[in-house]
Amino acid sequence: MHGISKEILKLVRASKALHAIKDRPRRTQAAFFDDVDARDPEYDTEQIYFQLLRDIGTNVEMRVIVDIIAGASAGGINGAMLARALSHDLRVEALRKLWIDNADVSVLLASEARASTWSKWFLRPFIWVAAATAWFGSIQDLEVRQKLSLFVRSRWFKPPLDGRVMSALMYDAMNSMGEARHPQASLLPSGQSLDLFVTLTDYHGYEELVQIHDPPLIHELEHRHVLQFGYRRHANGQAESDFGLENAASLAFAARATSSFPGAFPPARILEMDEVVAQRRGTWPARDSFLENCFADHIRAGVDPATVPFIDGSVLNNRPFQEAISAIRGRPAYREIDRRLVYVDPHPLSPVSHRGARMPGFFATLRGALSDIPSSQPVAEELDRVF
């Protein structure tokens, strides 16, 4: 998914570079690397997108803009990184090394949970047999087998992965993208905006009061939560942004919390991010505004947002189409546009025949009720609102 989000960024980057050439005859002969160092590892496929858009431009002048991003879990992580890069035209090459070196079970395992050489030694033969057969798609890579063994033999009945290490990884990732080259640096044109929606699940939930007739009030718990970040670039070039370095910790928390997979990671709390920022000797200037803007319902209910435990956003809202589609209504259109809703499915499935005649077993029913069915909500109703 990181690779796909990078390609989206490169497409938008190439489109901006093409439209920055005001001389139309020169534009038809231009190449992306005319003004960019081809040896810079940050740039590669931009040249392909540039040529494609240049050729299309002989018939239709088109600029590609991404102005709404919504995601949960891994989609929330990559969506936050992509939104920050788009808003301030930032480099993302450092993220690749960060993921390869640190987004690894051997790094993320909590020190007190890590299996020793003889931990659950009796499982080793079963793990290797399972990895070599169709149970796990025949895992041939020795390193993958070793890390699978390490993970399975590590602590049970408590999250084996270290939440603070994950928070630090997200914080480092946001900071590794650096700062905008100048205040007006952006891949969005003047007058355009970008909205990011990241879903979380509030483990305890906050109380909501609903007025009815008898009794006059009923009490409900709301567990769904959506964090919204925005970038607004005004016609004069000035920008209002939630994606600057001053808000890096907020974005890092969103990435950590939305991917806090139950059982693997402990729930995420803002207090944990406070500790990471202090450990890194960093600052969080936008902390108060982040809490005020993104946790108004908790504050209204008398709950301190910093202490609230959040788990993976995909538990209750795995496909936040509604948030993305609702944001379309507020988008300006001063010329003809062709808007595309792009859904990146991390686990695409081939069409399956109806299995209504077959009764599910005990464990299949539990898995379907607790995991598979809730994470597979249809999106047809949300799309109908657009069409």
Side-chain angles (χ1 to χ4, degrees), residues 135-372:
W135 292 1
F136 289 97
S138 186
I139 300 173
Q140 301 297 328
D141 190 277
L142 178 61
E143 181 184 4
V144 175
R145 291 192 187 192
Q146 291 173 338
K147 290 179 179 178
L148 175 64
S149 172
L150 175 66
F151 180 75
V152 173
R153 293 184 300 106
S154 293
R155 180 173 63 188
W156 291 359
F157 308 116
K158 285 186 178 181
L161 303 183
D162 194 320
R164 187 177 297 183
V165 172
M166 183 63 170
S167 287
L169 175 60
M170 296 297 101
Y171 182 69
D172 292 343
M174 291 297 174
N175 281 281
S176 72
M177 299 170 71
E179 199 166 6
R181 296 188 302 275
H182 54 83
Q184 282 76 40
S186 177
L187 293 177
L188 290 163
S190 295
Q192 294 291 325
S193 60
L194 184 150
D195 285 305
L196 167 69
F197 301 93
V198 179
T199 67
L200 314 180
T201 303
D202 182 342
Y203 180 79
H204 293 299
Y206 58 87
E207 187 179 76
E208 284 191 329
L209 300 179
V210 181
Q211 285 187 320
I212 59 174
H213 175 64
D214 186 16
L217 289 175
I218 59 173
H219 300 258
E220 286 194 329
L221 284 179
E222 177 61 81
H223 294 272
R224 295 170 299 177
H225 194 73
V226 179
L227 300 180
Q228 181 176 358
F229 301 87
Y231 176 90
R232 305 288 181 271
R233 190 176 185 197
H234 301 291
N236 62 2
Q238 298 299 314
E240 301 171 13
S241 176
D242 293 330
F243 299 104
L245 271 180
E246 70 280 357
N247 215 27
S250 306
L251 294 164
F253 171 76
R256 157 74 174 100
T258 191
S259 59
S260 185
F261 191 81
F265 285 102
R269 296 197 303 169
I270 293 173
L271 289 177
E272 180 182 84
M273 187 56 64
D274 288 332
E275 295 172 358
V276 169
V277 173
Q279 184 184 43
R280 292 290 195 269
R281 292 184 171 84
T283 60
W284 192 352
R287 184 183 187 276
D288 290 343
S289 61
F290 170 60
L291 297 184
E292 182 180 343
N293 295 332
C294 291
F295 300 95
D297 291 330
H298 289 81
I299 296 172
R300 194 178 303 115
V303 178
D304 181 4
T307 64
V308 175
F310 291 95
I311 59 176
D312 199 305
S314 65
V315 171
L316 294 178
N317 192 355
N318 190 38
R319 299 175 180 177
F321 274 80
Q322 181 177 348
E323 289 75 14
I325 292 173
S326 297
I328 294 175
R329 298 176 182 174
R331 288 296 183 266
Y334 302 111
R335 63 180 68 181
E336 182 179 354
I337 65 169
D338 183 7
R339 179 172 289 278
R340 300 299 175 99
L341 299 175
V342 179
Y343 171 53
V344 181
D345 189 347
H347 302 292
L349 299 176
S350 57
V352 294
S353 59
H354 182 60
R355 299 175 181 174
R358 191 173 71 182
M359 287 290 290
F362 175 75
F363 290 107
T365 303
L366 287 179
R367 187 184 68 182
L370 297 176
S371 176
D372 294 351

Side-chain angles (χ1 to χ4, degrees), residues 70-86:
S73 199
I77 293 177
N78 287 281
M81 307 290 177
L82 176 60
R84 178 157 151 68
L86 289 168

